Coordinates of all heavy atoms in Angstrom, one line a residue:
M206 N 141.5 -72.6 -273.3 CA 141.4 -73.2 -274.7 C 141.9 -72.2 -275.7 O 141.7 -71.0 -275.6 CB 139.9 -73.5 -275.0 CG 139.7 -73.8 -276.4 SD 138.1 -74.5 -276.7 CE 137.8 -75.5 -275.3
S207 N 142.5 -72.8 -276.7 CA 143.0 -71.9 -277.7 C 141.9 -71.3 -278.5 O 140.9 -72.0 -278.8 CB 143.9 -72.8 -278.7 OG 144.2 -72.0 -279.8
I208 N 142.0 -70.1 -278.8 CA 141.0 -69.4 -279.6 C 140.8 -70.1 -280.9 O 139.7 -70.0 -281.5 CB 141.3 -67.9 -279.7 CG1 140.2 -67.1 -280.3 CG2 142.5 -67.7 -280.6 CD1 139.1 -66.8 -279.2
T209 N 141.8 -70.6 -281.5 CA 141.7 -71.3 -282.8 C 140.8 -72.5 -282.8 O 140.2 -72.9 -283.8 CB 143.0 -71.7 -283.4 OG1 143.7 -72.6 -282.5 CG2 143.8 -70.4 -283.6
H210 N 140.6 -73.2 -281.6 CA 139.8 -74.3 -281.5 C 138.3 -74.0 -281.2 O 137.4 -74.8 -281.4 CB 140.3 -75.2 -280.3 CG 141.6 -75.9 -280.6 ND1 142.5 -76.1 -279.6 CD2 142.1 -76.5 -281.8 CE1 143.6 -76.7 -280.2 NE2 143.4 -77.0 -281.5
Q211 N 138.1 -72.8 -280.8 CA 136.7 -72.5 -280.4 C 135.6 -72.6 -281.6 O 134.6 -73.2 -281.3 CB 136.7 -71.0 -279.8 CG 135.3 -70.8 -279.0 CD 135.1 -71.7 -277.9 OE1 135.9 -72.0 -277.1 NE2 133.9 -72.3 -277.8
P212 N 135.9 -72.1 -282.7 CA 134.9 -72.3 -283.8 C 134.7 -73.8 -284.1 O 133.5 -74.1 -284.3 CB 135.5 -71.6 -285.0 CG 136.5 -70.6 -284.4 CD 137.0 -71.2 -283.2
R213 N 135.7 -74.6 -284.0 CA 135.4 -76.0 -284.4 C 134.7 -76.6 -283.2 O 133.8 -77.4 -283.5 CB 136.9 -76.7 -284.5 CG 136.8 -78.2 -284.7 CD 136.2 -78.6 -286.0 NE 136.2 -80.0 -286.1 CZ 135.3 -80.7 -286.8 NH1 134.3 -80.0 -287.4 NH2 135.2 -82.0 -286.9
L214 N 135.0 -76.3 -282.0 CA 134.3 -76.8 -280.8 C 132.8 -76.5 -280.9 O 132.0 -77.2 -280.6 CB 134.9 -76.3 -279.5 CG 134.4 -76.8 -278.3 CD1 134.5 -78.4 -278.1 CD2 135.2 -76.3 -277.0
N215 N 132.5 -75.2 -281.2 CA 131.2 -74.7 -281.3 C 130.4 -75.6 -282.3 O 129.3 -75.9 -282.2 CB 131.1 -73.2 -281.7 CG 131.5 -72.3 -280.6 OD1 131.6 -72.8 -279.5 ND2 131.9 -71.1 -280.9
S216 N 131.0 -75.8 -283.5 CA 130.4 -76.6 -284.6 C 130.1 -78.0 -284.1 O 129.1 -78.5 -284.4 CB 131.4 -76.6 -285.8 OG 130.9 -77.5 -286.8
L217 N 131.1 -78.5 -283.4 CA 130.9 -79.9 -282.9 C 129.8 -80.0 -281.8 O 129.0 -81.0 -281.9 CB 132.2 -80.5 -282.3 CG 133.3 -80.7 -283.2 CD1 134.7 -81.0 -282.4 CD2 133.1 -81.9 -284.1
Q218 N 129.7 -79.0 -281.0 CA 128.6 -78.9 -280.0 C 127.2 -78.8 -280.7 O 126.3 -79.5 -280.3 CB 128.8 -77.7 -279.0 CG 130.0 -78.0 -278.1 CD 130.3 -76.8 -277.3 OE1 130.2 -75.6 -277.7 NE2 131.0 -77.0 -276.2
D219 N 127.1 -78.0 -281.8 CA 125.9 -77.9 -282.5 C 125.5 -79.2 -283.2 O 124.3 -79.6 -283.1 CB 126.0 -76.8 -283.6 CG 126.1 -75.4 -283.0 OD1 125.8 -75.2 -281.8 OD2 126.4 -74.5 -283.8
R220 N 126.5 -79.8 -283.7 CA 126.2 -81.2 -284.4 C 125.8 -82.2 -283.4 O 124.8 -83.0 -283.6 CB 127.4 -81.6 -285.2 CG 127.2 -82.9 -285.8 CD 126.4 -82.9 -287.1 NE 126.3 -84.2 -287.7 CZ 125.2 -84.8 -288.0 NH1 124.1 -84.1 -287.8 NH2 125.1 -86.0 -288.5
H221 N 126.4 -82.2 -282.2 CA 126.1 -83.1 -281.1 C 124.7 -82.9 -280.6 O 123.9 -83.9 -280.5 CB 127.1 -82.9 -279.9 CG 127.1 -83.9 -278.9 ND1 126.3 -83.8 -277.8 CD2 127.7 -85.1 -278.8 CE1 126.5 -84.9 -277.0 NE2 127.4 -85.7 -277.6
A222 N 124.3 -81.6 -280.5 CA 122.9 -81.4 -280.1 C 121.9 -81.8 -281.2 O 120.8 -82.3 -280.9 CB 122.7 -79.9 -279.7
S223 N 122.2 -81.6 -282.4 CA 121.4 -82.0 -283.4 C 121.2 -83.6 -283.5 O 120.1 -84.1 -283.7 CB 122.0 -81.6 -284.9 OG 121.3 -82.1 -285.9
L224 N 122.3 -84.3 -283.3 CA 122.2 -85.8 -283.1 C 121.3 -86.2 -282.0 O 120.6 -87.2 -282.1 CB 123.6 -86.4 -283.0 CG 124.4 -86.3 -284.3 CD1 125.9 -86.8 -284.0 CD2 123.8 -87.2 -285.4
D225 N 121.3 -85.4 -280.8 CA 120.5 -85.7 -279.7 C 119.1 -85.6 -280.1 O 118.2 -86.5 -279.8 CB 120.7 -84.7 -278.6 CG 121.3 -85.3 -277.4 OD1 121.4 -86.6 -277.3 OD2 121.8 -84.5 -276.5
R226 N 118.7 -84.5 -280.9 CA 117.4 -84.3 -281.3 C 116.9 -85.4 -282.4 O 115.8 -85.9 -282.2 CB 117.2 -82.9 -282.0 CG 117.3 -81.8 -281.0 CD 116.9 -80.5 -281.6 NE 117.9 -80.1 -282.7 CZ 119.0 -79.4 -282.5 NH1 119.3 -79.1 -281.3 NH2 119.9 -79.1 -283.5
Q227 N 117.8 -85.8 -283.2 CA 117.6 -86.9 -284.1 C 117.3 -88.3 -283.4 O 116.4 -88.9 -283.7 CB 118.7 -87.1 -285.2 CG 118.7 -85.9 -286.1 CD 119.9 -86.1 -287.1 OE1 120.1 -87.2 -287.6 NE2 120.7 -85.0 -287.2
L228 N 118.1 -88.5 -282.4 CA 118.0 -89.7 -281.6 C 116.6 -89.7 -280.9 O 115.8 -90.7 -280.9 CB 119.0 -89.9 -280.5 CG 120.2 -90.5 -281.0 CD1 121.4 -90.3 -280.0 CD2 120.0 -92.0 -281.2
A229 N 116.1 -88.6 -280.3 CA 114.9 -88.4 -279.7 C 113.8 -88.7 -280.7 O 112.7 -89.4 -280.3 CB 114.7 -87.0 -279.0
Q230 N 113.9 -88.1 -281.8 CA 112.8 -88.2 -282.9 C 112.7 -89.7 -283.4 O 111.6 -90.2 -283.4 CB 113.1 -87.3 -284.1 CG 112.9 -85.9 -283.8 CD 113.3 -85.0 -285.0 OE1 114.0 -85.6 -285.9 NE2 113.0 -83.7 -285.0
E231 N 113.8 -90.4 -283.6 CA 113.8 -91.8 -283.9 C 113.2 -92.7 -282.9 O 112.4 -93.5 -283.1 CB 115.2 -92.2 -284.2 CG 115.3 -93.6 -284.9 CD 114.6 -93.8 -286.2 OE1 114.6 -92.7 -287.0 OE2 114.1 -94.9 -286.5
G232 N 113.5 -92.3 -281.6 CA 112.9 -93.0 -280.5 C 111.5 -92.9 -280.4 O 110.8 -93.7 -279.7
Q233 N 110.9 -91.8 -280.8 CA 109.5 -91.5 -280.7 C 108.7 -92.2 -281.8 O 107.4 -92.4 -281.7 CB 109.2 -90.0 -280.9 CG 109.8 -89.1 -279.8 CD 109.0 -89.4 -278.5 OE1 107.9 -89.5 -278.5 NE2 109.7 -89.3 -277.4
R234 N 109.3 -92.7 -282.9 CA 108.6 -93.5 -283.9 C 107.9 -94.7 -283.4 O 108.6 -95.3 -282.5 CB 109.6 -93.7 -285.1 CG 110.1 -92.5 -285.7 CD 111.1 -92.9 -286.9 NE 110.5 -93.7 -287.8 CZ 111.2 -94.5 -288.7 NH1 112.4 -94.3 -288.8 NH2 110.6 -95.3 -289.4
P235 N 106.9 -95.1 -284.0 CA 106.3 -96.4 -283.6 C 107.2 -97.6 -283.7 O 107.2 -98.5 -282.9 CB 105.1 -96.5 -284.6 CG 104.8 -95.2 -285.2 CD 106.2 -94.4 -285.1
A236 N 108.0 -97.6 -284.8 CA 109.1 -98.7 -285.0 C 110.4 -98.1 -285.2 O 110.8 -98.0 -286.4 CB 108.5 -99.6 -286.1
P237 N 111.1 -97.7 -284.1 CA 112.4 -97.1 -284.3 C 113.4 -98.0 -285.1 O 113.3 -99.2 -284.9 CB 113.0 -96.9 -282.9 CG 111.7 -96.9 -282.0 CD 110.7 -97.8 -282.7
D238 N 114.2 -97.5 -285.9 CA 115.2 -98.3 -286.7 C 116.4 -98.4 -285.9 O 117.1 -97.4 -285.6 CB 115.4 -97.5 -288.0 CG 116.5 -98.3 -288.8 OD1 116.4 -99.5 -288.8 OD2 117.3 -97.7 -289.5
A239 N 116.8 -99.6 -285.5 CA 117.9 -99.9 -284.7 C 119.2 -99.5 -285.3 O 120.1 -99.0 -284.8 CB 117.9 -101.4 -284.3
G240 N 119.3 -99.6 -286.6 CA 120.5 -99.3 -287.4 C 120.6 -97.8 -287.3 O 121.8 -97.3 -287.2
T241 N 119.7 -97.0 -287.6 CA 119.7 -95.6 -287.5 C 120.1 -95.1 -286.0 O 121.0 -94.3 -286.0 CB 118.4 -94.9 -287.9 OG1 118.1 -95.3 -289.3 CG2 118.5 -93.4 -287.7
I242 N 119.6 -95.7 -285.1 CA 119.8 -95.3 -283.7 C 121.3 -95.7 -283.4 O 122.1 -94.8 -282.9 CB 118.9 -96.1 -282.7 CG1 117.5 -95.4 -282.8 CG2 119.6 -96.0 -281.3 CD1 116.5 -96.1 -282.0
T243 N 121.7 -96.8 -283.8 CA 123.3 -97.1 -283.7 C 124.2 -96.2 -284.4 O 125.2 -95.7 -283.8 CB 123.5 -98.6 -284.1 OG1 122.7 -99.5 -283.4 CG2 124.9 -99.0 -283.9
R244 N 123.8 -95.8 -285.6 CA 124.6 -94.9 -286.3 C 124.7 -93.6 -285.7 O 125.8 -93.0 -285.6 CB 124.1 -94.8 -287.8 CG 124.9 -93.8 -288.7 CD 124.2 -93.7 -290.0 NE 122.9 -93.3 -290.0 CZ 122.5 -92.0 -289.9 NH1 123.4 -91.1 -289.6 NH2 121.2 -91.7 -289.9
L245 N 123.5 -93.1 -285.2 CA 123.5 -91.8 -284.6 C 124.3 -91.8 -283.3 O 125.1 -90.8 -283.0 CB 122.1 -91.3 -284.3 CG 121.2 -91.0 -285.6 CD1 119.8 -90.9 -285.2 CD2 121.7 -89.8 -286.2
K246 N 124.2 -92.8 -282.5 CA 124.9 -92.9 -281.2 C 126.5 -93.0 -281.4 O 127.2 -92.4 -280.7 CB 124.5 -94.1 -280.5 CG 123.1 -93.9 -279.8 CD 122.7 -95.2 -278.9 CE 121.4 -94.9 -278.2 NZ 121.0 -96.2 -277.4
R247 N 126.8 -93.7 -282.4 CA 128.3 -93.8 -282.8 C 128.8 -92.4 -283.2 O 129.9 -92.0 -282.8 CB 128.6 -94.8 -283.9 CG 128.5 -96.2 -283.4 CD 128.9 -97.2 -284.5 NE 128.9 -98.5 -284.0 CZ 128.5 -99.6 -284.8 NH1 128.2 -99.4 -286.0 NH2 128.5 -100.8 -284.2
E248 N 128.1 -91.8 -284.1 CA 128.5 -90.4 -284.5 C 128.5 -89.4 -283.3 O 129.5 -88.7 -283.2 CB 127.6 -89.8 -285.6 CG 127.9 -88.5 -286.1 CD 129.2 -88.4 -286.8 OE1 129.8 -89.4 -287.2 OE2 129.6 -87.2 -287.1
K249 N 127.6 -89.5 -282.5 CA 127.5 -88.7 -281.2 C 128.7 -88.9 -280.4 O 129.4 -88.0 -279.8 CB 126.2 -88.9 -280.6 CG 125.9 -87.9 -279.5 CD 124.4 -88.2 -278.9 CE 124.3 -87.6 -277.6 NZ 123.3 -87.9 -276.8
L250 N 129.1 -90.1 -280.1 CA 130.3 -90.5 -279.4 C 131.5 -90.0 -280.0 O 132.5 -89.4 -279.4 CB 130.3 -92.1 -279.2 CG 131.6 -92.5 -278.4 CD1 131.6 -91.9 -276.9 CD2 131.5 -94.1 -278.3
R251 N 131.6 -90.2 -281.4 CA 132.8 -89.7 -282.1 C 133.1 -88.1 -281.9 O 134.1 -87.6 -281.6 CB 132.7 -90.0 -283.5 CG 134.0 -89.6 -284.4 CD 133.8 -89.7 -285.9 NE 132.8 -88.7 -286.3 CZ 133.2 -87.4 -286.4 NH1 134.4 -87.0 -286.1 NH2 132.4 -86.5 -287.0
L252 N 131.9 -87.5 -281.9 CA 131.9 -86.0 -281.7 C 132.3 -85.7 -280.3 O 133.1 -84.7 -280.0 CB 130.5 -85.3 -282.1 CG 130.1 -85.4 -283.5 CD1 128.7 -84.9 -283.7 CD2 131.1 -84.6 -284.4
K253 N 131.8 -86.4 -279.4 CA 132.1 -86.1 -277.9 C 133.6 -86.3 -277.7 O 134.3 -85.5 -277.0 CB 131.3 -87.1 -277.0 CG 131.6 -86.9 -275.6 CD 130.8 -87.8 -274.7 CE 131.2 -87.7 -273.3 NZ 130.6 -88.8 -272.5
E254 N 134.2 -87.4 -278.2 CA 135.6 -87.6 -278.2 C 136.4 -86.6 -278.7 O 137.4 -86.2 -278.2 CB 135.9 -89.0 -278.7 CG 135.4 -90.1 -277.9 CD 135.5 -91.5 -278.6 OE1 135.8 -91.6 -279.9 OE2 135.4 -92.5 -277.9
E255 N 136.0 -86.1 -279.9 CA 136.8 -85.0 -280.6 C 136.7 -83.7 -279.7 O 137.6 -83.0 -279.6 CB 136.3 -84.7 -282.0 CG 137.1 -83.7 -282.7 CD 136.8 -83.6 -284.2 OE1 136.0 -84.4 -284.7 OE2 137.3 -82.6 -284.8
M256 N 135.5 -83.4 -279.2 CA 135.4 -82.2 -278.4 C 136.3 -82.4 -277.1 O 136.9 -81.3 -276.7 CB 133.9 -82.1 -277.8 CG 133.0 -81.6 -278.9 SD 131.4 -81.1 -278.4 CE 130.7 -82.7 -278.0
E257 N 136.3 -83.5 -276.6 CA 137.2 -83.7 -275.4 C 138.7 -83.6 -275.7 O 139.5 -82.9 -275.0 CB 137.0 -85.1 -274.8 CG 135.7 -85.2 -274.0 CD 135.4 -86.7 -273.6 OE1 136.1 -87.5 -273.9 OE2 134.3 -86.8 -272.9
R258 N 139.1 -84.0 -276.9 CA 140.5 -83.9 -277.4 C 140.8 -82.4 -277.5 O 141.8 -81.8 -277.2 CB 140.7 -84.5 -278.7 CG 141.0 -86.0 -278.5 CD 141.5 -86.6 -279.8 NE 140.7 -86.5 -280.9 CZ 139.7 -87.4 -281.2 NH1 139.4 -88.5 -280.5 NH2 138.9 -87.2 -282.3
L259 N 139.8 -81.6 -278.1 CA 140.1 -80.2 -278.3 C 140.2 -79.4 -277.0 O 141.1 -78.5 -276.8 CB 138.9 -79.5 -279.2 CG 138.9 -79.8 -280.6 CD1 137.7 -79.3 -281.3 CD2 140.2 -79.3 -281.3
R260 N 139.3 -79.8 -276.1 CA 139.4 -79.2 -274.7 C 140.7 -79.5 -274.0 O 141.2 -78.7 -273.2 CB 138.2 -79.6 -273.8 CG 136.9 -79.0 -274.4 CD 135.7 -79.5 -273.4 NE 134.5 -78.9 -273.9 CZ 133.4 -79.7 -274.2 NH1 133.4 -81.0 -274.1 NH2 132.3 -79.1 -274.7
A261 N 141.2 -80.7 -274.2 CA 142.4 -81.1 -273.5 C 143.6 -80.4 -274.2 O 144.7 -80.3 -273.5 CB 142.6 -82.6 -273.6
A262 N 143.5 -80.0 -275.4 CA 144.6 -79.3 -276.1 C 144.8 -77.9 -275.8 O 145.2 -77.1 -276.7 CB 144.5 -79.6 -277.6
R263 N 144.5 -77.5 -274.6 CA 144.6 -76.1 -274.3 C 146.0 -75.5 -274.4 O 147.0 -76.1 -273.9 CB 144.1 -75.8 -272.9 CG 142.6 -76.2 -272.8 CD 142.1 -75.9 -271.5 NE 140.7 -76.4 -271.4 CZ 139.9 -76.1 -270.5 NH1 140.2 -75.3 -269.6 NH2 138.7 -76.6 -270.5

C-alpha cells in the first residue's frame, strides 16, 4: 500500500469502528430507530468500499 494512503485508511478504519459502536448502541435501545440504523449501515458500507479501493490502489 502506498504510504500516502495509510493515514486516510487509518481514519476510515477508526470511523468504521465508531459506526459499529453506534449501531450496537442503537440496537440496545428499547425502541431502535430504523432510520438511524439504516443511515449508519449505509455510511459503514460506504467507508468499507472506500477502504477496499484504497487497498486495491497499491
Side-chain angles (χ1 to χ4, degrees):
M206 167 167 322
S207 170
I208 192 79
T209 59
H210 289 144
Q211 194 59 49
R213 177 68 178 149
L214 185 57
N215 290 343
S216 174
L217 292 170
Q218 289 170 333
D219 290 345
R220 180 74 179 128
H221 192 269
S223 173
L224 289 170
D225 246 352
R226 290 188 296 273
Q227 290 177 46
L228 273 166
Q230 288 174 348
E231 187 64 32
Q233 296 289 327
R234 292 181 51 194
D238 180 38
T241 298
I242 290 174
T243 299
R244 180 183 57 78
L245 292 170
K246 285 182 176 181
R247 283 187 181 145
E248 179 66 10
K249 195 173 155 191
L250 179 59
R251 188 190 68 74
L252 292 173
K253 180 181 176 188
E254 289 170 346
E255 187 173 346
M256 287 187 291
E257 289 172 356
R258 279 192 300 273
L259 286 174
R260 288 181 182 125
R263 295 181 191 198

